[in-house]
Amino acid sequence: MALLLRFVLLCGVADFTRGLSITTPEQMIEKAKGETAYLPCKFTLSPEDQGPLDIEWLLSPADNQKVDQVIILYSGDKIYDDYYQDLKGRVHFTSNDLKSGDASINVTNLQLSDIGTYQCKVKKAPGVGNKKIQLTVLVKPSGTRCYVDGSEEIGNDFKLKCEPKEGSLPLRYEWQKLSNSQKLPTSWLPEMTSPVISVKNATAEYSGTYSCTVRNRVGSDQCLLRLDVVPPSNRAGTIAGAVIGTLLALVLIALIVFCCHKKRREEKYEKEVHHDIREDVPPPKSRTSTARSYIGSNHSSLGSMSPSNMEGYSKTQYNQVPSEDLERAPQSPTLPPAKVLLGKARFKMKRMDR
């Protein structure tokens, strides 16, 4: 019995010598992305805790695919905060005097990758203590857009939609009418807390300004929508106008293509005619020069004639002297005009010699 009592006393003394304890309870913290998370870790020491003070914060990532990572460490009166690259420069002790019993930290500019279990370990021999904190990072609703899906005409069915660009689930929606009577149709009431309101057989009374508020546990966002329910438009006239406009555009395009094609053909024809002209053929002589050369050749022929033949020749020849007012002699298809006249003169001279 005495031995048992002594053993109990020794155990009690041993527990008392390990008097270091962390007074902060384990807890779960939710914060929005981009905000700062305060992770508390306060401790007390006993007179028996005489060893050096070591403080260590570890992170167990939420995906459970990585081992525990040391994110910040206090040892030998020095702070080391560059162990974990993803949190480098974003994790700091909140107290300048860690020996006072406050090992709490701040994690700034929270990211979704910061989600996980954080563990605070304090050691001052022979005392040791640790606590865990679960951190959840949520995204506030933002970039919310309100719009009408369908045609805003009387008698039509369409939908009012409210869509945030981002936001962590669960999301809560709330629609309100801000203008006119501010009285919502009875059929809409079941959908006033949903992202979509289905409108059936719309009437002009539905027109007005509506707001949609989106909320989650860390924030909210809002958008506005202007609804104008108007009489049906003349769809037949619109379709006919569209068809006529399309036909006119096609006719105009066809006309442009035709003109371009015609112009190209004319240019091609001019080039072909230009290349067919022989550059070595001299230009034809004028009527005046042709007539004068003809008269000169006949005078030279008369000089060689005898007096007996002069009378008959002069009657027939001088009546044929060409002038500018007379028609040109028919040309040979293969010889220029000058060569044709020269051939005729030679022919007449031969007859005279005979």
Side-chain angles (χ1 to χ4, degrees):
M1 187 67 182
L3 291 174
L4 181 60
L5 181 59
R6 183 177 294 181
F7 177 76
V8 172
L9 292 173
L10 288 174
C11 290
V13 171
D15 287 340
F16 181 77
T17 58
R18 295 197 301 270
L20 188 153
S21 65
I22 297 179
T23 59
T24 301
E26 293 186 354
Q27 56 187 293
M28 295 181 62
I29 297 176
E30 285 185 349
K31 285 291 182 179
K33 179 182 176 183
E35 293 183 346
T36 296
Y38 169 70
L39 307 184
C41 181
K42 294 185 178 181
F43 61 92
T44 59
L45 300 173
S46 69
E48 287 75 16
D49 298 326
Q50 298 296 324
L53 177 63
D54 293 329
I55 301 173
E56 184 181 56
W57 276 89
L58 297 94
L59 168 62
S60 300
D63 56 12
N64 296 322
Q65 295 180 359
K66 297 179 181 179
V67 298
D68 292 354
Q69 301 286 333
V70 177
I71 60 174
I72 192 168
L73 174 67
Y74 173 81
S75 180
D77 295 332
K78 291 185 179 181
I79 297 174
Y80 305 91
D81 57 1
D82 56 354
Y83 281 95
Y84 189 48
Q85 189 64 31
D86 290 350
L87 282 172
K88 186 177 181 179
R90 295 195 294 120
V91 58
H92 313 280
F93 284 110
T94 59
S95 175
N96 295 326
D97 183 12
L98 299 179
K99 294 179 181 179
S100 64
D102 188 359
S104 304
I105 61 172
N106 279 333
V107 181
T108 62
N109 190 22
L110 287 172
Q111 304 298 316
L112 297 179
S113 58
D114 299 338
I115 297 174
T117 302
Y118 291 76
Q119 183 176 185
C120 174
K121 287 186 176 181
V122 181
K123 178 181 179 182
K124 186 172 178 65
V128 177
N130 68 83
K131 289 292 181 179
K132 292 182 179 180
I133 297 176
Q134 183 71 35
L135 176 63
T136 302
V137 180
L138 302 176
V139 179
K140 291 180 180 180
S142 64
T144 305
R145 184 170 71 100
C146 295
Y147 64 97
V148 179
D149 183 7
S151 179
E152 305 172 44
E153 295 182 352
I154 295 176
N156 280 2
D157 297 343
F158 52 83
K159 295 180 179 180
L160 308 183
K161 292 189 175 182
C162 179
E163 295 180 353
K165 186 176 181 180
E166 60 179 3
S168 298
L169 301 176
L171 294 172
R172 301 188 304 277
Y173 297 84
E174 181 182 356
W175 287 88
Q176 289 183 336
K177 190 174 183 182
L178 305 179
S179 61
N180 298 343
S181 65
Q182 298 185 356
K183 183 179 179 180
L184 295 170
T186 306
S187 59
W188 292 17
L189 296 180
E191 298 180 325
M192 296 307 293
T193 56
S194 68
V196 179
I197 295 179
S198 298
V199 179
K200 304 292 184 181
N201 192 21
T203 64
E205 288 74 16
Y206 292 173
S207 299
T209 302
Y210 295 81
S211 70
C212 174
T213 304
V214 188
R215 293 185 176 90
N216 63 7
R217 294 195 296 268
V218 293
S220 64
D221 193 28
Q222 187 182 68
C223 64
L224 298 178
L225 182 148
R226 176 64 190 178
L227 178 63
D228 293 311
V229 182
V230 297
S233 59
N234 186 1
R235 297 180 180 177
T238 303
I239 296 173
V243 172
I244 293 173
T246 303
L247 292 176
L248 290 176
L250 292 175
V251 170
L252 181 60
I253 294 173
L255 183 62
I256 294 173
V257 171
F258 174 76
C259 292
C260 293
H261 181 67
K262 183 178 179 182
K263 185 176 180 181
R264 289 178 181 175
R265 288 185 60 185
E266 291 177 352
E267 292 177 351
K268 184 178 180 181
Y269 176 76
E270 290 178 358
K271 290 181 179 179
E272 290 178 353
V273 171
H274 176 74
H275 286 300
D276 289 343
I277 297 175
R278 294 178 57 185
E279 297 181 356
D280 57 342
V281 176
K285 295 181 180 181
S286 64
R287 292 184 178 182
T288 305
S289 60
T290 304
R292 288 175 181 174
S293 61
Y294 177 78
I295 293 172
S297 61
N298 278 279
H299 277 293
S300 61
S301 300
L302 290 173
S304 59
M305 290 183 182
S306 61
S308 60
N309 296 329
M310 182 65 69
E311 182 180 356
Y313 181 79
S314 61
K315 290 180 181 180
T316 58
Q317 298 298 322
Y318 277 95
N319 293 330
Q320 300 179 3
V321 175
S323 66
E324 295 183 1
D325 297 329
L326 297 177
E327 294 183 358
R328 296 175 61 182
Q331 298 180 359
S332 173
T334 57
L335 294 175
K339 291 184 179 182
V340 173
L341 294 175
L342 182 60
K344 286 185 176 182
R346 289 178 178 175
F347 176 75
K348 291 179 180 180
M349 289 176 64
K350 288 181 180 181
R351 289 182 62 183
M352 293 172 62
D353 290 340
R354 291 179 183 175

